[in-house]
Amino acid sequence: MDGKVGKPAGAWDTAESRSPGEEPVVLWFEDARSEAQLVGGKGRNLALMSQAGFRVPPGVTVTTEAYRLMLQSPELHGKLVEIANGIRYDDAKNLEERTAEIRDLIQRTAVPATVAAEIADAYDRLAEVVGTPFPYVAVRSSGTAEDLAEASFAGLHDTYLDIRGPDALLKAVSDCWASMWTARAVAYRKNNDFDHFAAGIAVVVQIMVEAEVAGVMFTANPLRERTDEILINASWGLGEAVVSGIVTPDEFLLRKSDLKAKRKVRGTKESQIRRKEGGGTIHEPVSEARRNQLCLTDEQLEQLGEMGRLVELRYSRLPQDIEWALAKDTVYLLQSRPITGVAFAWEEDIELPEKIEDEENTVWEKTWAEEGLSGANTPLFYTTRGWNYDRGYTTMIGVYFGLGEEDSHIRHFKYHRGTVYYNTATEKAYIKTMLPHARNSPYCWGGTRFILPEEHDAIVNAPFDWFKYAKMLARLQADPLSSYLGCKEFNKKKWFQRESWHPWNFNKDELRKLSDQALKNRITHWLKEEEQYCDDITPWFFNLRDAINMVVFLVEKWYDGDNATAAVDMISGAPGKTPTSRENDALWELAQMLRNSPYLRRLFDENEGETFFEKAKESAEGKAFLASYQKFVDKHPHRGHSDRDIYWLRRGETPAVDYRVFKALLSADPEESPQKRERETNARRAAVIEDVVENIRKKPFGSIKAEIFKVVLDYAGDFLVGRDEERYSYDRHTYIQKLMWLEVGRRLRERGVLTGERDFYFLGQHELFELLEGGGDMTLVKAKITGRMRNFDAYHKKEWLAPPFIVRGDYFDPNETFDEFDPSRMKGIAQSRGIVTGTARVVRELEKIGTVQKDDILVCHATDPGWTPVFMIITGIVTETGGVLSHAACLSREYGLPAVQIPSAMKRIPDGAAITVNGNTGEVVIVSVPEEQELMNA
């Protein structure tokens, strides 16, 4: 942050000598009075960055007071108000004509003498700072409604580069004021409910940097919504070429943690904007040699990235959109503003701290979570259960599979938008330890369902290392818990039903008495116990897998009867009573109490949810039912929910979760009790077992084989019972954990740290502990809660459907094919997420923008601020050029429009065609072509 420029002596004297209460007309960046209402969003950000010591080219801001004084000019004010009041916003021609009148009026009106004098004086003092008479300056509009987190107004007002001399400067300032009244700016303010006369405009006057390379840097990745990546677009010459999207720049993706490049993509960089002799700029072609050369070195990328990290830190780690320039190997900060239109959630902050960031080639899949962590998952639950699962898998991979030390740092799980993804590299390592017959069998536990379809054959047919497998079994048998006999013994001893996991050992009153530190210690101890449990249970699951798969293997090898599903019939359900079956029996009996009592049944039907339980207290018959129900709740308070996360209500919290269960049971056939179905299932299983055993006995050495088979089947049956014991007990542990976190949330709300009842669920355990201890940046905390809660709700309500895979950072669904030889399917660069189908409107130049109709998909070469009004009516956009930080891409994200960049899009997409734009995958598909286009093609 070196290179800070101090103000020259007397630089503020003119402003400070004004009458008391009168606002200054000019403020230097270093002036502490540079508040947004005076200097606008751009001026405010430059002032903050300059005052923080960043290398910002020296400059001043002509304040909103100057604009106000200009508007009060007798020859201007009345006429301007009259014209503005006559604007018809539903008439594009009228809007353009009226705003043009206002601009012309402002530009023809003389700047008030006192304002002109102070601007000229500031320009002279800027010359003193840089030691150059009549220096070149950039003159940039800075609106008071600009660069806000909720509405950026980016690019709506004018910028003038390479302005030299006081007269040219004064004209540029006047032109910036006039740009407040372009059709696009007026329409944008109207659309965002900003009052035209309440909104002000300041003008930044800043020494020009003669950039060799310039561009835009996002301190977070807007496409992946990741806050641990930095995205840089860069091109030769001045940054205007990148910002306006007239070139396809080089793109660099940096890992924020160490500033190493994860990806470098060379852009075409066909042209550049550079300074013109005598003032102004010119647009010229770039030589082929420079087009083929990346415009930034690794050292320059690190310098840029470090500046980005520091700027973001200055803004409470809120992602920033930074304009920069590189001159003589020195990086200058030209602008910083919040990134808008992107749902950042800082999910990287809730990943396991000791694990490395996932690499670019990592493939993540969704199905595992649907089986292991069903339903929507909160960040809090992920940083407890998810972290412990990850550590348990590390034990399994390292200790039992015998992989190297380098594999211990691999992340096995990833949190993304309310759900959890699983690393397919972990699954491939797991599959390689499976006996070959089990790898692709539909009846075996495991297999290839968690990997990409195109990898199935290679994994299934991979050589099996029997020696390595034997070593793994030996390691398992060396651990009393992991051994085959040990697992069977632990099943019998009800190892899962740990006394310390009983929820009645904890209650709200006891937890309230604990100090903050004691509460944290209890939670930490609880989580450590769960972590140990995950380490212990991992090999148990490994043995469960092999036990079931061995049953399938023996049936396939020794049984040749006519029951094709014999293996799965024998391992369906459990051969004995389980906690869940006993719970279901009790629920059925309670439902029969309701069914057999006309009074209770009528009360039940007439009162929904908790109301029924309240009404039941008013009668003796109701009280008798509630007494039986309460005994049931006392025994199973931690159950009654379908999904795993602690977020979901248990029956110990509300009986409403059982009302819906009773409603379903009352609609069932009263003769179809769980006990009856269990007897029937056991009878079918016994018949299948008898059939298989008798069939095996008839084979050579059949008696021996039959006995072996029965031992293996009995061993697998113990595991099936144990599996339910484990799930039941683990749910009990989850409920106790929830009670403790509820107390943390209550304390934070009571102290005013958090406000919403469910806010605490959307912070990780470490983030909650920091708040409990009085720390934390609340600006960042609130942003995290908002982003994460939005993602969680969207996933839970199925407003956002999680893709089956995330491949190298991009969403992938193997069911959606893409044929590179099909001209109706085009693959490009995703710029803004979302999917839309609509009519393509090919617009080759801005003058033809009037052809765009409501709900069209705009197809054009690139956009600049002049195209902004059309974004209010289109549903998507396809451009030919411009990076992911270009005007079109940024505005699409702000408006929530899917956007894709397709080279030669205007040539490849017929005007009027129905197309689908997939901003998630970067694909554009031509659905149908207008009949006249088909005739032309024919």
Side-chain angles (χ1 to χ4, degrees), residues 489-551:
E489 188 65 22
F490 272 108
N491 284 343
K492 290 181 178 178
K493 292 183 178 179
K494 308 297 182 189
W495 168 66
F496 305 112
Q497 295 184 11
R498 301 184 178 189
E499 186 64 28
S500 63
W501 287 15
H502 280 244
W504 43 85
N505 289 340
F506 292 81
N507 60 68
K508 294 180 181 179
D509 291 336
E510 179 191 352
L511 291 172
R512 285 195 177 201
K513 295 175 184 176
L514 298 176
S515 67
D516 286 353
Q517 187 59 50
L519 179 60
K520 178 183 176 181
N521 290 344
R522 179 168 292 193
I523 295 173
T524 302
H525 172 78
W526 202 255
L527 294 178
K528 274 292 182 185
E529 184 172 317
E530 180 181 291
E531 181 183 339
Q532 182 61 51
Y533 177 79
C534 286
D535 273 353
D536 292 344
I537 199 66
T538 298
W540 186 91
F541 273 106
F542 180 87
N543 284 323
L544 166 61
R545 180 198 77 176
D546 273 11
I548 292 175
N549 291 348
M550 184 57 70
V551 170

Side-chain angles (χ1 to χ4, degrees), residues 133-145:
F134 303 112
Y136 289 96
V137 293
V139 182
R140 304 174 186 272
S141 303
S142 178
T144 55

Side-chain angles (χ1 to χ4, degrees), residues 213 252 254 261 264 293-304 326 329:
V213 182
F252 304 92
L254 308 186
K264 299 178 182 179
Q293 175 187 348
L294 289 172
C295 58
L296 290 173
T297 66
D298 287 343
E299 292 75 15
Q300 290 166 340
L301 286 171
E302 288 189 19
Q303 190 179 356
L304 264 173
L326 181 67
D329 208 32

